[in-house]
């Protein structure tokens, strides 16, 4: 594995991204309909932020 996959920020990126995808799919299947839309957007924004931090960390 490369350096990117080993950094702490990339682990958080994949964690938030997989969480956002899981919530989006389960909400679409009407399994968890009680989550409002801003929860999904929050997870997506956290994934983007963690991805940016991972990319910045990879530059060092």
């Amino acid at each position: 594995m490369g350096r990117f996959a080993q950094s702490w920020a990339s682990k958080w990126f994949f964690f938030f991204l997989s969480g956002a995808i899981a919530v989006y799919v389960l909400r679409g299947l009407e399994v968890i309909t009680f989550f409002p839309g801003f929860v999904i957007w929050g997870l997506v924004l956290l994934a983007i932020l963690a991805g940016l931090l991972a990319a910045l960390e990879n530059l060092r």
Side-chain angles (χ1 to χ4, degrees):
M1 274 193 167
R3 252 181 51 197
F4 178 77
Q6 295 175 352
S7 71
W8 63 271
S10 65
K11 290 176 184 173
W12 281 109
F13 168 71
F14 290 120
F15 174 75
F16 287 127
L17 184 65
S18 62
I21 291 171
V23 169
Y24 182 75
V25 168
L26 290 175
R27 190 170 178 240
L29 294 173
E30 297 180 357
V31 174
I32 50 172
T33 57
F34 54 88
F35 277 135
F38 71 86
V39 172
I40 296 172
W41 281 111
L43 287 171
V44 169
L45 291 175
L46 283 172
I48 291 170
L49 180 65
L52 289 173
L53 287 175
L56 288 174
E57 184 181 63
N58 198 24
L59 288 174
R60 289 193 287 154

